[in-house]
Amino acid sequence: MGDNCKSTLKVPIAGKRNILITSALPYVNNVPHLGNIIGCVLSADVFARYCRIRGYNAIYMCGTDEYGTATETKALEENCTPKQICDKYHAIHKDVYKWFDISFDEFGRTSTPQQTEVCQAIFKKLWDNNWLSENTMQQLYCDTCKKFLADRLVEGNCPTPGCNYDSARGDQCEKCGKLLNPTELLEPRCKVCRNTPCIRDTDHLFLELPLLKDKLEAYINEMSVSGGWSQNAIYTTHAWLREGLKSRCITRDLKWGVPVPHEKYKDKVFYVWFDAPIGYVSITSCYTTEWEKWWKNPDNVELYQFMGKDNVPFHTVIFPSTLLGTGERWTLMKTISVTEYLNYEAGKFSKSKGIGVFGNDVKDTNIPVEVWRYYLLTNRPEVSDTLFTWADLQAKLNSELLSNLGNFINRVLSFIAKDQASGYGSIIPDAEGAESHSLTKALGERVGSCVQQYIEAMEKVKLKQGLKVAMSISSEGNGYLQESQFWKLYKEDRPSCSIVMRTACGLVYLLACLLEPFMPSFSREVLKQLNLPPEMLSLSDEGGDIENSKRPWNILPAGHRIGTPAPLFKELKDEEVEFYRAKFAGSQADRADRALKAETEAKNVAEKLNKVKISDGNKKKERATKSSETKSKAPPSVEAEISISRLDIRVGLITKAQKHPDADSLYVEEIDVGESQPRTVVSGLVKYIPLEEMQNRKVCVLCNLKPASMRGIKSQAMVLAASNSDHTKVELVEPPKDAVVGERVTFPGFDGKPDDILNPKKKVWETVQVDLHTNKELVACYKDVPLTTSVGTCKVASISEGSIR
C-alpha cells in the first residue's frame, strides 16, 4: 500500500484482461466497523486476489474520502483541524486494512494536489460543454455560528411519511435512506450550537442531470446487462430513473474541500458527492503517471466497483453522468457489486453510535484474521441483510474451518510426515495407475466440476457462492479419505494408498489456491507446510491449471518433500464466545466507560487493601465458607435450552397481500394463523414472488418473534421462505394443502412448549435458523428432521439444499 506518487507501475497490457478494481472510499472521520469492511474493501480484495491468481492484469485502488462536512464536524468535536483529523484516521484505516490482509495496489487519500487537479479539470470540461447551471438556492444559515450550514451540520425530523426519525441528517435520513435537502427537515437544529437556523439565499452550481438522461440511460441499459450488475444495484438505479432525474448542486459553502476554479465561486468548494468518486481517478494518478491508460481506455480496461447499497446512485447515476458530460472516452463501470447491510447481534452496526465490532477491535480478540475474513465472506449480505452473531462465528469456525477444512489438511499432511514405518517420511509418493483407480478418477471428475463452478461464480462476482464451492472440495476430500480407508490400504495395498495420498496432497494445494482470495494467511501457512513458495499459486488458463484440477494426483510432483504439518485452526469455546459478547456489548463509548470504571474500582480496592492489614486468617476462611454457603443456597437461574421446540411455527393462510405503501421491496400480508383476528406480516419478497402468487396461499408462519415495525407498519410474525445459495431465488415453505390453519408445525424428537415471545437477547431464532434448510427431496428440515404437520411434511417447489429464514 503506497502513499507517495510513483512513476510507473502496472499499465494495461494488449491481449490480456486488464481489470481496474475500486471499493467505495471509506469516509475518514471514524474507525471502520465489520459492516464497512465486508461491504467494500474486503469484497473487492477477494475479487482482486482472484484476478491475480487467474493471471489477469489487475489493479485495486482505494483510499480515504477526506473532504466535506463530516470531517469539519469531527474536527470541531475533537478540537483540531480537518487535516489533523484526516491524518489521524487515515493512519487508523490503513492499519486496520493491513491487519485484514487487504491487498491494495494503492491506498491513497482525496486531500491531495492530484485530486484538486483531476477534479478541477473535469469541472472545466462540464462547464465548457454547458452541462452546468447557476441557481440561487435557499440554505440554512446559523446566526449564532455566522455561517451557512452544510448538510451534515444540520439535523432534524425526517419529512418522509411514516419515518418520523428525529435525528435525520441534512443530506440523508439514516433510518429510511431517503436523500434530503436540509431545508426539507422538520424542526432543524444546528449541530454545533443546537439553535434553530434561518433560511437565506445563496448562489450555487448545478449538474444538469436531466440533460444527460439519454446518454446515461443508454449506458445503463447496455452495461447493466453486459456487466451483470447485481439485482439490488439495478433496482436502486431504475428507482432513481423512475422518479425523474433532477439537477444536483455540486458546490458547498465550506473551506475544507477542492476549491471551485471560477471567480464567482472561488470561496466555495465542491460538494463531496461530486468530488469523492473522482478520488478513484486521482488515487490512480498517484499510483502511476500513466493513469489515463487505465481511466481513458474503455476498449481495453474493465472497471469493477464494490460498495454498500447506500452508495449505488452515486456510482450508477451521478459519477457516470459526470464522466459522460466531459465528452471524453472514460472507462465507465462495467460491473457493480453491491452488498446490503451486515447487522450486529440485536441491531445495526453504527459508526456514529459506536455499535458493533470495529476494525481496531478484532486484533484484541486473538481470533486470527483468516477466521474473520472467512466468517464475514460466508455471511456477505449479497441479496438481503445478514446478521453477525458470536454464536454463528463460533459455529462456522468450529464446524467448517476446524472440523472440515483443517481436519482434512492436517490428516493428509500428518500421515505423509510419519516415518517410513507408518507413513511416507514427508515425501509425496508416486501415484502409478491413478487413471484406472475408480474411486480416485470419480473424485477427479467431481473436483474438476467444482473448480469450473468456482470460476463461473467468481467471474460473476458471486463471492459467497465461490467460497461455498471451494469449501465443498474439502468435504469431497474428507469423504474420499474415509471411503478409501487409506490407513488400511497402507498395510494391505500400498500402491493404492500412495495414489490416495498423492491425490489428497493435490487437493490440499488446490484448496490453498482456491481459498487464497478469501483467506490469504491460511493459504500462506498451507504452502509453508507443503514446502512450496507462495508465488506458486496459480489458476490460469494458460498454465493448464484448470485442466489439472481434474487430475489432482498430478498437481504435486512425486518425490517432493513437504514441510512440518501443524493444526491450522483452534477451537473457539463457549466461554470465549460469552466473553466477547459481553466485551463488545453496547457502544464503544459504553465499553470505554466500563473499562474506566473497572480500572478505577481495581485501584480503589488495591488502595484499601494496602491500608487495611488483615491478620486473622481464620476469619477470612470463615467468611469465605459463609459466602460459598450463601451462594449454594441461592436458587439457580434456569434458562430453557435453545431448541427448535421454542419456536411457534404454525400453518397460516394468506387472506390478503398487497405492496407496502412506503417500500417497493416489501409486501404487507394479512395471515390467518388460527386466531380470532388475522396477523399483519411484512415480508421482503417483492423481488422474488409475484403478487398474484401471494394470494390465498398456505404458508408456514413463525408466530412468536417480537413484533417489529417495518417502514411504519408493525409486522406481527414472519413467513418462512427458502433461498438458494446465492440468494437469487426465493420460495415459500408450504405446508400440505390439507393442513389445518392454525396447526402447530412440529419437529419429531423435539418436544416442548413454545415461548410466548422469543427474547431477542437470547438469540433463539438466530441460533436455530442456521440449521433450517431444504434437503434434496425439497423437504423443509431442522437439521435432518422435517417440518411436520398432522397430514404430512412441509416442502418448497424447487430449491434443494437451500437455507430457510
Side-chain angles (χ1 to χ4, degrees):
M1 295 189 296
D3 282 317
N4 302 318
C5 296
K6 303 170 182 68
S7 54
T8 212
L9 289 171
K10 287 185 201 169
V11 291
I13 300 168
K16 288 199 87 167
R17 275 192 77 183
N18 300 296
I19 298 183
L20 173 56
I21 300 161
T22 71
S23 62
L25 305 183
Y27 207 77
V28 79
N29 69 328
N30 253 317
V31 180
H33 56 59
L34 296 184
N36 305 135
I37 290 165
I38 184 59
C40 48
V41 294
L42 178 54
S43 295
D45 181 63
V46 172
F47 188 67
R49 287 177 178 276
Y50 165 76
C51 289
R52 293 181 195 122
I53 62 168
R54 290 281 285 139
Y56 305 153
N57 184 39
I59 61 170
Y60 176 17
M61 298 288 116
C62 190
T64 41
D65 178 7
E66 302 195 349
Y67 285 139
T69 320
T71 307
E72 286 197 356
T73 308
K74 192 74 174 178
L76 283 169
E77 287 174 14
E78 298 197 13
N79 196 27
C80 60
T81 66
K83 186 178 186 312
Q84 287 170 324
I85 282 289
C86 293
D87 290 346
K88 172 186 171 180
Y89 283 99
H90 175 81
I92 290 171
H93 276 260
K94 192 170 179 179
D95 188 48
V96 166
Y97 303 140
K98 183 179 179 183
W99 190 87
F100 266 97
D101 256 341
I102 308 296
S103 60
F104 306 113
D105 287 274
E106 181 78 13
F107 184 72
R109 337 175 42 161
T110 59
S111 60
T112 62
Q114 289 79 8
Q115 174 74 357
T116 299
E117 184 182 336
V118 177
C119 201
Q120 291 183 344
I122 288 173
F123 164 77
K124 285 172 183 172
K125 288 282 185 184
L126 292 170
W127 180 267
D128 292 342
N129 294 341
N130 297 316
W131 297 118
L132 300 176
S133 63
E134 300 178 78
N135 216 329
T136 300
M137 62 185 288
Q138 292 187 319
Q139 197 169 328
L140 295 176
Y141 184 88
C142 180
D143 281 317
T144 308
C145 299
K146 300 297 180 194
K147 65 178 181 181
F148 283 103
L149 298 179
D151 299 353
R152 295 198 178 197
L153 284 176
V154 189
E155 64 181 20
N157 297 347
C158 178
T160 306
C163 178
N164 304 320
Y165 185 51
D166 63 0
S167 297
R169 298 193 312 251
D171 61 342
Q172 189 173 22
C173 175
E174 199 176 31
K175 182 182 175 187
C176 72
K178 182 80 172 174
L179 294 176
L180 301 169
N181 285 314
T183 51
E184 294 178 288
L185 288 175
L186 307 176
E187 300 179 30
R189 303 175 294 279
C190 170
K191 281 192 76 171
V192 179
C193 67
R194 314 306 296 171
N195 289 321
T196 302
C198 60
I199 294 176
R200 283 194 186 179
D201 287 346
T202 178
D203 291 339
H204 281 287
L205 289 165
F206 290 73
L207 177 62
E208 287 296 335
L209 288 176
L211 300 180
L212 288 157
K213 183 172 180 282
D214 292 344
K215 290 177 184 287
L216 178 68
E217 284 191 336
Y219 157 72
I220 290 169
N221 292 337
E222 178 192 347
M223 206 60 88
S224 63
V225 176
S226 63
W229 290 10
S230 53
Q231 282 303 310
N232 42 13
I234 293 171
Y235 182 80
T236 303
T237 303
H238 284 297
W240 261 59
L241 294 176
R242 276 198 311 272
E243 286 180 17
L245 297 176
K246 300 175 181 65
S247 302
R248 297 281 296 186
C249 183
I250 66 167
T251 51
R252 276 294 177 262
D253 290 293
L254 291 174
K255 298 298 179 194
W256 183 244
V258 174
V260 179
H262 188 290
E263 184 61 29
K264 182 178 175 182
Y265 299 98
K266 63 184 180 184
D267 292 332
K268 299 180 192 290
V269 299
F270 288 115
Y271 192 5
V272 71
W273 67 256
F274 177 81
D275 137 76
I278 295 171
Y280 301 130
V281 183
S282 74
I283 289 167
T284 312
S285 78
C286 278
Y287 168 73
T288 172
T289 54
E290 298 184 88
W291 63 270
E292 289 187 342
K293 290 183 178 179
W294 286 105
W295 280 100
K296 294 184 179 180
N297 191 0
D299 297 331
N300 296 306
V301 175
E302 302 167 56
L303 173 59
Y304 284 73
Q305 299 198 283
F306 291 77
M307 68 207 66
K309 64 181 176 183
D310 51 344
N311 263 316
V312 169
F314 301 106
H315 290 77
T316 62
V317 176
I318 293 171
F319 188 41
S321 297
T322 300
L323 298 181
L324 288 165
T326 65
E328 297 175 299
R329 293 192 78 240
W330 287 90
T331 302
L332 297 177
M333 177 179 65
K334 175 191 173 184
T335 298
I336 182 172
S337 180
V338 177
T339 54
E340 303 287 314
Y341 293 133
L342 175 69
N343 294 324
Y344 179 70
E345 293 279 344
K348 278 188 175 183
F349 276 95
S350 172
K351 281 192 291 186
S352 57
K353 294 171 185 170
I355 292 170
V357 181
F358 285 72
N360 55 349
D361 293 329
V362 291
K363 290 181 282 188
D364 301 333
T365 62
N366 295 320
I367 297 171
V369 62
E370 59 268 24
V371 176
W372 283 108
R373 284 181 62 119
Y374 178 80
Y375 179 67
L376 290 173
L377 289 158
T378 58
N379 223 8
R380 185 175 185 249
E382 292 181 351
V383 173
S384 58
D385 293 357
T386 57
L387 187 69
F388 172 100
T389 71
W390 288 101
D392 189 31
L393 182 138
Q394 178 191 29
K396 294 275 199 306
L397 166 54
N398 293 349
S399 64
E400 296 173 19
L401 292 178
L402 179 63
S403 300
N404 178 3
L405 180 65
N407 177 57
F408 170 67
I409 293 172
N410 193 250
R411 208 171 167 195
V412 172
L413 299 188
S414 295
F415 191 76
I416 296 281
K418 286 181 178 180
D419 61 39
Q420 293 285 1
S422 54
Y424 290 92
S426 296
I427 304 295
I428 294 177
D430 204 349
E432 288 183 28
E435 295 278 2
S436 56
H437 190 262
S438 58
L439 183 66
T440 300
K441 198 165 187 317
L443 172 79
E445 288 171 3
R446 291 196 302 275
V447 168
S449 173
C450 284
V451 170
Q452 207 59 51
Q453 290 172 44
Y454 170 88
I455 286 171
E456 286 171 13
M458 296 299 283
E459 291 291 338
K460 292 176 182 174
V461 202
K462 295 184 182 295
L463 307 183
K464 195 193 290 191
Q465 176 66 7
L467 178 54
K468 183 178 179 182
V469 171
M471 288 293 288
S472 73
I473 291 177
S474 175
S475 301
E476 290 282 1
N478 276 314
Y480 175 67
L481 292 182
Q482 283 304 109
E483 198 172 344
S484 71
Q485 295 189 309
F486 67 92
W487 58 93
K488 285 186 181 177
L489 290 178
Y490 186 80
K491 296 172 184 174
E492 300 167 6
D493 183 357
R494 186 71 61 88
S496 289
C497 185
S498 296
I499 290 171
V500 170
M501 295 321 293
R502 185 175 171 192
T503 301
C505 281
L507 290 189
V508 169
Y509 167 82
L510 186 60
L511 282 165
C513 190
L514 298 179
L515 291 170
E516 194 278 340
F518 302 93
M519 297 185 287
S521 54
F522 156 83
S523 295
R524 286 194 295 270
E525 178 57 28
V526 171
L527 287 176
K528 180 181 169 188
Q529 293 186 25
L530 282 170
N531 190 27
L532 294 171
E535 58 273 13
M536 182 175 170
L537 286 181
S538 172
L539 201 63
S540 70
D541 294 324
E542 294 87 349
D545 301 317
I546 313 300
E547 199 59 32
N548 276 349
S549 67
K550 298 175 186 174
R551 294 182 294 278
W553 53 88
N554 281 340
I555 290 176
L556 295 181
H560 174 76
R561 178 177 289 277
I562 68 168
T564 306
L568 291 158
F569 300 101
K570 181 185 166 192
E571 182 185 10
L572 187 61
K573 295 188 166 65
D574 291 345
E575 54 268 29
E576 293 175 282
V577 169
E578 286 309 313
F579 172 77
Y580 292 136
R581 186 182 285 125
K583 179 176 179 179
F584 295 108
S587 69
Q588 285 189 311
D590 293 338
R591 294 174 215 159
D593 286 345
R594 286 200 300 269
L596 186 62
K597 282 175 186 171
E599 190 179 333
T600 306
E601 197 173 309
K603 282 180 182 175
N604 291 340
V605 170
E607 285 170 9
K608 285 178 183 175
L609 287 173
N610 286 334
K611 289 175 184 174
V612 179
K613 186 177 180 182
I614 303 172
S615 57
D616 189 346
N618 290 329
K619 284 184 180 178
K620 279 199 294 183
K621 286 178 186 174
E622 192 178 313
R623 281 198 298 272
T625 305
K626 283 183 179 177
S627 172
S628 64
E629 284 173 2
T630 305
K631 284 179 184 172
S632 66
K633 288 175 187 174
S637 173
V638 178
E639 167 63 31
E641 178 190 355
I642 289 185
S643 161
I644 192 72
S645 63
R646 292 175 65 179
L647 270 54
D648 183 8
I649 300 175
R650 299 185 215 164
V651 175
L653 176 67
I654 300 175
T655 57
K656 180 183 177 184
Q658 60 189 17
K659 289 273 193 78
H660 193 298
D662 296 317
D664 291 342
S665 63
L666 301 178
Y667 285 133
V668 180
E669 303 111 28
E670 298 295 323
I671 304 181
D672 181 358
V673 290
E675 297 169 340
S676 58
Q677 294 291 326
R679 292 201 187 194
T680 301
V681 180
V682 181
S683 307
L685 297 170
V686 170
K687 287 188 274 187
Y688 307 105
I689 302 173
L691 184 60
E692 59 269 24
E693 291 182 20
M694 294 290 291
Q695 311 294 343
N696 299 312
R697 186 168 180 173
K698 282 185 179 174
V699 287
C700 292
V701 186
L702 178 56
C703 293
N704 61 340
L705 280 178
K706 187 177 180 181
S709 184
M710 298 177 73
R711 292 292 181 90
I713 295 178
K714 185 160 281 190
S715 184
Q716 299 168 322
M718 184 174 78
V719 175
L720 297 188
S723 62
N724 60 357
S725 57
D726 59 0
H727 300 287
T728 54
K729 188 176 182 183
V730 174
E731 294 174 349
L732 293 170
V733 176
E734 296 183 274
K737 287 182 181 177
D738 297 328
V740 179
V741 171
E743 177 186 357
R744 189 181 175 202
V745 176
T746 59
F747 301 82
F750 293 89
D751 300 317
K753 288 187 176 181
D755 293 11
D756 291 334
I757 294 288
L758 295 174
N759 184 343
K761 292 181 181 177
K762 302 299 180 185
K763 303 293 176 206
V764 178
W765 164 245
E766 290 83 353
T767 304
V768 300
Q769 186 272 322
V770 295
D771 289 314
L772 284 168
H773 63 97
T774 57
N775 66 16
K776 289 180 180 176
E777 287 72 47
L778 309 181
V779 175
C781 297
Y782 170 70
K783 297 184 177 176
D784 294 317
V785 179
L787 277 71
T788 307
T789 71
S790 57
V791 290
T793 58
C794 304
K795 295 187 175 184
V796 294
S798 67
I799 297 173
S800 67
E801 299 183 311
S803 60
I804 294 174
R805 60 184 65 214

